Amino acid sequence: VQLQASGGGLVQAGGSLRLSCAASGSIVSITTMRWFRQAPGKQRGMVAGISSDDSTIYADSVKGRFTISRDNAKNTVYLQMNNLKPEDTAVYYCNVDAAQTYRDGYRNYRGQGTLVTVSS
């Protein structure tokens, strides 16, 4: 399973970006999809997650500003980021629990990151 994240870039404070992450390969099912981020000099932390029943969870720092969603037909997870702040600057990574066969069960997969830079 390969994960390809896109949509990062440079934006001014108060602006918006939409990240996408598409999972490809031999996949029979994806349960939870997540976005993590890692700022320079800081540990990686979860930003948002969405389960197979579309229930969501957010880090306190992004609640009300970020929205996670998914398109199961495309095996893609999105992160709509509004009212961006300089402290949102980080490399954003997607992460999914996916099964390539039902016999083998679910495994966790992590993708390459996409850089988001928010200028003040």
Side-chain angles (χ1 to χ4, degrees), residues 1-6 19-23 29-38 44-59 62 66-72 75-81 91-99 106-114:
V1 175
Q2 294 81 42
L3 299 176
Q4 182 64 52
S6 61
L19 305 183
S20 300
C21 178
S29 177
I30 297 176
T31 54
T32 305
M33 308 179 86
R34 308 170 189 87
W35 286 97
F36 284 75
R37 69 184 180 186
Q38 186 168 18
R44 188 176 300 190
M46 193 179 80
V47 176
I50 184 167
S51 64
S52 54
D53 65 359
D54 287 336
S55 60
T56 58
I57 186 170
Y58 296 94
V62 307
F66 291 10
T67 302
I68 189 170
S69 61
R70 62 192 289 169
D71 183 334
N72 294 324
N75 287 336
T76 299
V77 61
Y78 304 97
L79 187 67
Q80 177 66 45
M81 306 185 293
V91 178
Y92 285 71
Y93 302 86
C94 58
N95 175 299
V96 305
D97 295 333
Y106 291 87
R107 294 178 58 187
N108 185 258
Y109 296 91
R110 303 177 182 181
Q112 297 291 334
T114 184

Side-chain angles (χ1 to χ4, degrees), residues 4-25:
Q4 182 64 52
S6 61
L10 174 64
V11 64
Q12 288 188 331
S16 299
L17 283 174
R18 188 190 193 211
L19 305 183
S20 300
C21 178
S24 62

